[in-house]
Amino acid sequence: MSAPVSPGLRSGSLPLLVALMTLLAGLALAGLSGVQTLAESWSGAARNATTIEIPADTPQLEDRTHSLVQTLNKTPDVTTVRELSAKEVQTLLAPWLGQVSDSAGLPGLSLPVVLIVAHTGTPDLGAIVHSVLPEAVVEEDRRWGERLNGLGNSLIACAWLAVSLIAAIAVLSVGMTVRRSVMAQRKAVEIVHFLGAGDLTISSRIAGRAALLSLAGGLVGLLLLSPVITMLAQRLTPFSHGTPPAASPTNTWDALFATWCGTLHVLPRMLLEELGALPLIAACLGWLTAQTVVLVWLRRLP
Amino acid sequence: MIRLLNVSMMPPGVGQPVLRNLTLSVPQGEFRWLLGPSGAGKSSLLRLLTLETRPSAGQMDMLGVSVSHASRATLRNLRRRIGFVPQDYRLIGEWTVFDNVALPLRLRGASERDTRREAFAVLEWLDVAHLADKRPGTLSGGEQQRTAIARALIGRPELLLADEPTNALEDAQARRLLMTFQELIEMGTTVIVATHNEALVREAPAASIVLQDGTIANTDAQNGTSTRRTEHS
């Protein structure tokens, strides 16, 4: 233990407070991560696709459709042009028409030809399509994508606001705890100050202790968060594209740990990194807040 | 060297100054008694000299530094050159006697080995080395006072200020302390001791600063210092 040159911090409820804040911050980050993933998937799917619908009663439907596909294939920035099969069109229209085995099941109804054009950049497909097939209806999915993106960004902003509020409350709580501690040890702090201790000497000892206690609180908070995160990961497992690492069949702690790691595998790597960094962030915030509070308090002494 | 020129001190929230137009000069390596009845301003003057507060008016120079407008860093360095024995000891209750006494050396960045050697030397001299691991709260008044004296002496200060440093000491210990002050003066330390103990003053006659109602009551015209030389044998 280092030789004392300044009073330390009386911790009070600081670790518990930081543990709860870490738990809340972790939950907010998990929510933020979910919203981000959703928003990216919405905008990613819609941003680079255009749907072209050619009515079934268009004259010379097959030839003109073929001609349009060729034109589109030659257009710069267009990557693929895919014509939906009749079954896919039926599936697409099922919410409106109900399930039918084929178009023959609906007398008098002919299914349109639907083309899905994938592209990079923003080619003016409407003008190109209408120059070949004026009857075609062009649905720019990008517009939907932009709206979904806007919604996603709003949700992300809300989640960031929640994280920021939690951080602000944590800073306030640490600040009040440190201030109470300094007030409680006012005499000792003044003795050390008037013996010639520098402000940084006094504040660093208190801030170091605040950082250590915040780190401990952060680790406890992470421990409290782990069942929630595990449950979230289990819920996401069915939607995961990756295969989680196989767990050992033996019923040992190692196997349980491996299973747990496998479960967490479905969560975004970024989220896991952010959660892992929470105790360190708590420690940094604790250190900075304590330094600031003590240095400001010391300014009142000559 | 301490030099005060028309120094006044008015604590915040107090309507009138507790020290008014003090002018005095104490050359380096000299001894002064600080005398006066209760409420005369002795503690306020000591607060000024220990740099716990700045003068509200006037010019104050200490150990070659102008205090009135000095920066915080300058004051911090100056405080490390001053030893102070407060009347209420001002020991840190959570620390051991050793840590309390070692503090001035640690603040100067002395090695732990040197700190230990110096601290035990002064603790042994004051006969409290056996209490080094105790907390101040478990000590008697005299033991706490000797601990405070040890903390003031350990850094071999250029200026030593003491507020009633013998009020909890036995006569033999008090005489020994006076001898220590004499040794410090011979090494060039300026020593100012506030006391009500007239017997002690009679035992060690020396120049005095006598305060009355926040002003200096006597002036020694010979050296321009507001002091009174006590002439008891």
Side-chain angles (χ1 to χ4, degrees):
Chain A
M1 193 179 145
S2 64
V5 285
S6 164
L9 177 72
R10 287 183 182 168
S11 57
S13 54
L14 186 64
L16 179 68
L17 215 65
V18 175
L20 291 176
M21 291 298 158
T22 305
L23 178 65
L24 283 176
L27 292 175
L29 281 174
L32 174 64
S33 170
V35 168
Q36 261 173 339
T37 309
L38 202 61
E40 274 167 21
S41 114
W42 284 346
S43 61
R47 192 187 306 132
N48 298 320
T50 300
T51 305
I52 300 166
E53 184 190 325
I54 306 165
D57 56 355
T58 304
Q60 298 169 305
L61 179 64
E62 260 185 50
D63 291 347
R64 293 178 71 194
T65 300
H66 182 68
S67 172
L68 177 62
V69 169
Q70 278 187 327
T71 305
L72 287 171
N73 275 330
K74 287 176 194 162
T75 305
D77 292 335
V78 169
T79 49
T80 58
V81 181
R82 189 169 75 85
E83 183 180 340
L84 295 190
S85 66
K87 198 176 175 184
E88 284 176 312
V89 175
Q90 278 175 16
T91 309
L92 199 66
L93 297 174
W96 293 273
L97 303 179
Q99 287 296 338
V100 286
S101 55
D102 54 51
S103 60
L106 290 167
L109 178 70
S110 303
L111 291 175
V113 172
V114 178
L115 301 176
I116 305 291
V117 183
H119 52 79
T120 57
T122 52
D124 188 2
L125 287 180
I128 296 166
V129 170
H130 287 137
S131 68
V132 180
L133 248 172
E135 300 90 335
V137 178
V138 178
E139 186 70 59
E140 291 277 6
D141 294 358
R142 188 174 63 236
R143 287 179 200 150
W144 286 103
E146 281 164 3
R147 286 172 196 162
L148 287 172
N149 203 27
L151 177 64
N153 285 339
S154 305
L155 290 172
I156 288 170
C158 286
W160 269 120
L161 187 67
V163 172
S164 308
L165 271 175
I166 291 164
I169 293 169
V171 165
L172 273 175
S173 309
V174 173
M176 283 167 70
T177 304
V178 170
R179 197 180 148 75
R180 269 200 305 271
S181 171
V182 171
M183 292 303 286
Q185 301 185 90
R186 186 192 175 117
K187 264 184 84 174
V189 172
E190 285 181 354
I191 289 169
V192 172
H193 173 79
F194 290 125
L195 280 173
D199 291 356
L200 274 176
T201 306
I202 297 172
S203 63
S204 295
R205 187 169 159 88
I206 294 174
R209 180 95 178 125
L212 204 68
L213 291 171
S214 300
L215 181 68
L219 289 170
V220 171
L222 208 57
L223 207 66
L224 295 175
L225 189 66
S226 58
V228 183
I229 292 297
T230 307
M231 197 176 73
L232 182 72
Q234 283 166 346
R235 297 274 165 135
L236 284 177
T237 303
F239 304 101
S240 166
H241 298 298
T243 312
S248 160
T250 52
N251 190 17
T252 61
W253 285 108
D254 285 349
L256 283 173
F257 183 69
T259 310
W260 184 64
C261 288
T263 309
L264 292 185
H265 183 74
V266 299
L267 293 174
R269 188 183 170 82
M270 176 79 108
L271 173 63
L272 293 176
E273 284 171 358
E274 283 169 353
L275 293 179
L278 275 179
L280 291 176
I281 292 169
C284 289
L285 279 180
W287 187 88
L288 264 178
T289 308
Q291 276 281 9
T292 308
V293 168
V294 178
L295 286 175
V296 167
W297 190 88
L298 285 171
R299 296 301 295 181
R300 69 184 59 193
L301 300 177
Chain B
M1 173 79 162
I2 298 170
R3 188 164 47 208
L4 273 66
L5 185 64
N6 294 323
V7 164
S8 295
M9 182 188 140
M10 188 158 69
V14 178
Q16 55 185 19
V18 291
L19 295 175
R20 291 193 305 276
N21 295 320
L22 297 192
T23 295
L24 65 90
S25 172
V26 183
Q28 193 63 31
E30 290 211 3
F31 182 91
R32 293 287 185 277
W33 290 113
L34 179 58
L35 305 173
S38 295
K42 298 193 297 295
S43 295
S44 297
L45 180 55
L46 284 176
R47 285 190 67 209
L48 265 184
L49 297 178
T50 52
L51 307 174
E52 286 179 36
T53 183
R54 293 187 199 238
S56 39
Q59 178 67 36
M60 178 171 158
D61 295 339
M62 286 182 63
L63 305 174
V65 176
S66 173
V67 168
S68 304
H69 302 103
S71 68
R72 285 171 66 82
T74 305
L75 290 185
R76 180 195 66 209
N77 292 333
L78 198 52
R79 286 185 187 112
R80 293 181 184 178
R81 299 161 66 189
I82 299 171
F84 179 43
V85 185
Q87 194 172 6
D88 57 359
Y89 319 134
R90 295 190 203 169
L91 300 171
I92 297 175
E94 289 85 355
W95 295 4
T96 62
V97 164
F98 172 79
D99 284 332
N100 270 283
V101 172
L103 182 59
L105 287 190
R106 284 176 173 160
L107 287 175
R108 290 181 196 179
S111 73
E112 202 50 31
R113 195 176 148 193
D114 290 347
T115 302
R116 216 172 162 74
R117 195 187 60 239
E118 295 273 330
F120 272 99
V122 72
L123 284 171
E124 271 165 24
W125 190 87
L126 286 158
D127 207 16
V128 281
H130 61 289
L131 304 171
D133 293 329
K134 302 263 187 200
R135 310 257 170 204
T138 63
L139 308 183
S140 69
E143 288 165 341
Q144 287 189 51
Q145 189 155 42
R146 279 181 279 160
T147 304
I149 293 167
R151 185 183 60 190
L153 295 179
I154 192 172
R156 298 210 173 105
E158 294 170 56
L159 169 64
L160 180 70
L161 303 159
D163 194 0
E164 304 284 359
T166 58
N167 62 357
L169 300 185
E170 293 166 9
D171 287 349
Q173 289 169 338
R175 274 194 291 276
R176 206 168 168 200
L177 185 62
L178 288 176
M179 282 168 55
T180 306
F181 288 161
Q182 187 58 45
E183 285 170 23
L184 286 170
I185 290 161
E186 282 164 14
M187 286 191 288
T189 299
T190 305
V191 180
I192 298 176
V193 178
T195 187
H196 279 112
N197 188 337
E198 291 186 7
L200 194 72
V201 176
R202 277 197 299 274
E203 198 164 315
S208 304
I209 302 165
V210 183
L211 289 177
Q212 181 82 46
D213 295 330
T215 57
I216 288 173
N218 295 68
T219 305
D220 183 341
Q222 206 170 20
N223 58 8
T225 305
S226 304
T227 62
R228 183 185 72 181
R229 193 166 289 276
T230 52
E231 294 295 348
H232 305 285
S233 55

